[in-house]
Amino acid sequence: NKSGDPSDREKALAVLKELMKSEENHVPDMVCLYGRIFKDKFVESEASDVASLMSAIEWYQKGFEVEPNIYAGINLASLLVVSGHKFKESAQLQHVCMTLNNLIGKKGELDRLNDYWDIATFFEVHILAENLGKASDVAERMFKSDPPSWQLKTTLGNLRLIMDVRAANDDLQESPELQRLDFWMTYFHRVVHPPEDFNKIPVISREDKRQTMRQGDKSGGSYVAMYITIQERGLEEGEEPFIHLWYAVDDGTLPTESDYIFPMSAIRRYSKYKRDERCLLLFVSQNSVDFQLYFPVGNTRERVIGKIKELRAKLNLDMEEEESRVVEIKVHVCLCLCS
């Protein structure tokens, strides 16, 4: 199926078709593999092969009926949405999502989940159920877990199909919840495909930017969605390059100052957070607030630092790197043995 040769895929389908004639071969892994091949055919046809879509739904449905499981359920629910099912109107889609919620719920509360696929399933289920606010809460948990790009690529492949279909059908109404979810989708996309320029890079900013970073702080605190652009030329002749940093979501609760523009000469120094290669602290002289920013990947952070240094060098300005403000606590334990 994955060899790239269409004849190999047809051979795989022929083998599975023969196997499916026997009920004893109707086990979840085998049945879902049959559905997966049809799904791949549909996706690679740029969503034009409707026959393969319906076959994929049929076999994922059978896999889910044989034994309700997360893999079959997520794929079935995703393809139902792609085929036109709407959560509020489809009893079948509601049933699958409810079963998935129960299966994931048995693994524990979201904050205690450590397996990426469990967290990603929560994310997908909330999007399928059109619960965008909850989906964004789960997205923050995904961000904190810092998964490798190949895992996010798999998740985004499913979700792009869903979001594109809903956008085409005008099922998504503009709202702060949709803005936030769009941001997360963009942020995760930039983990898989890092930006090549410095225009509108998605970043996560710590809400309390003055708070000193402490050991273990990565899992706590509050985060907000922002975009950053490095403008290499001033807005007018003779003006120096500048950085534009602004909030990605307008939910009516933005602070008075929510759109920052500061010239390169205003950047006093920076600091790399050594416990997370994505994190950069920027200290700006014209602003009383320091910025603690998490880029999609560490390489993007390094490129941004390099570009700022390059532009400041053209102004004959240096930029000092400060040691990461992490408090290391060493605990000495004494054991007293009492007779």
Side-chain angles (χ1 to χ4, degrees), residues 212-224:
T212 300
M213 300 180 73
R214 298 183 300 273
Q215 185 177 4
D217 201 37
K218 180 181 173 183
S219 62
S222 182
Y223 301 87
V224 293

Side-chain angles (χ1 to χ4, degrees), residues 63-258:
F64 198 63
E65 290 171 352
V66 170
E67 181 184 334
N69 63 89
I70 291 172
Y71 175 74
I74 278 293
N75 281 283
L76 173 59
S78 300
L79 294 175
L80 286 173
V81 171
V82 171
S83 70
H85 285 241
K86 296 184 179 181
F87 184 78
K88 294 179 181 179
E89 303 170 0
S90 172
Q92 183 183 10
L93 181 57
Q94 291 173 14
H95 170 71
V96 175
C97 287
M98 183 178 67
T99 304
L100 285 169
N101 255 331
N102 291 336
L103 290 171
I104 293 294
K106 292 177 181 178
K107 295 177 179 285
E109 296 179 2
L110 176 62
D111 289 341
R112 296 185 179 182
L113 294 179
N114 294 313
D115 183 82
Y116 168 79
W117 300 114
D118 291 339
I119 300 169
T121 300
F122 258 129
F123 184 48
E124 292 185 56
V125 169
H126 284 307
I127 290 178
L128 288 164
E130 301 177 20
N131 194 340
L132 306 189
K134 287 284 188 180
S136 289
D137 292 342
V138 181
E140 183 174 313
R141 179 70 179 83
M142 290 168 64
F143 153 73
K144 291 176 183 177
S145 70
D146 191 15
S149 62
W150 69 268
Q151 291 183 332
L152 283 171
K153 183 178 181 179
T154 301
T155 301
L156 291 177
N158 267 349
L159 294 179
R160 281 297 176 196
L161 278 174
I162 298 166
M163 299 295 284
D164 289 348
V165 167
R166 285 180 171 166
N169 295 336
D170 292 326
D171 292 336
L172 299 174
Q173 301 298 319
E174 187 63 34
S175 66
E177 289 76 17
L178 180 57
Q179 290 178 12
R180 187 173 289 109
L181 181 60
D182 281 344
F183 170 84
W184 281 116
M185 294 291 284
T186 302
Y187 187 89
F188 293 143
H189 175 75
R190 287 308 184 190
V191 174
V192 179
H193 304 286
E196 297 181 357
D197 57 24
F198 301 95
N199 181 49
K200 201 178 180 182
I201 301 173
V203 292
I204 308 297
S205 174
R206 278 294 303 270
E207 200 165 56
D208 183 3
K209 305 175 187 69
R210 298 186 185 213
Q211 183 178 349
T212 300
M213 300 180 73
R214 298 183 300 273
Q215 185 177 4
D217 201 37
K218 180 181 173 183
S219 62
S222 182
Y223 301 87
V224 293
M226 302 188 80
Y227 289 108
I228 185 171
T229 289
I230 299 178
Q231 188 67 41
E232 297 193 40
R233 295 183 179 179
L235 294 176
E236 297 183 12
E237 189 70 29
E239 289 187 349
E240 65 182 79
F242 62 89
I243 288 179
H244 184 196
L245 184 66
W246 70 99
Y247 285 82
V249 181
D250 184 1
D251 58 1
T253 63
L254 292 179
T256 304
E257 190 170 11
S258 58

Side-chain angles (χ1 to χ4, degrees), residues 3-14:
S3 69
D5 186 339
S7 64
D8 285 343
R9 174 169 290 165
E10 294 308 315
K11 290 175 184 177
L13 283 173

Side-chain angles (χ1 to χ4, degrees), residues 205-223 271 273 279-283 288-294 322 324-327:
S205 174
R206 278 294 303 270
E207 200 165 56
D208 183 3
K209 305 175 187 69
R210 298 186 185 213
Q211 183 178 349
T212 300
M213 300 180 73
R214 298 183 300 273
Q215 185 177 4
D217 201 37
K218 180 181 173 183
S219 62
S222 182
Y223 301 87
S271 177
Y273 184 20
C279 184
L280 171 68
L281 284 88
L282 277 181
F283 305 93
S288 59
V289 178
D290 299 326
F291 298 96
Q292 183 176 319
L293 308 174
Y294 291 80
E322 183 179 277
S324 178
R325 296 184 294 174
V326 178
V327 178

Side-chain angles (χ1 to χ4, degrees), residues 265-280:
S265 58
I267 301 174
R268 292 176 291 150
R269 60 188 186 281
Y270 71 95
S271 177
K272 299 178 185 179
Y273 184 20
K274 292 182 173 57
R275 293 186 180 276
D276 193 325
E277 66 174 9
R278 302 171 297 174
C279 184
L280 171 68

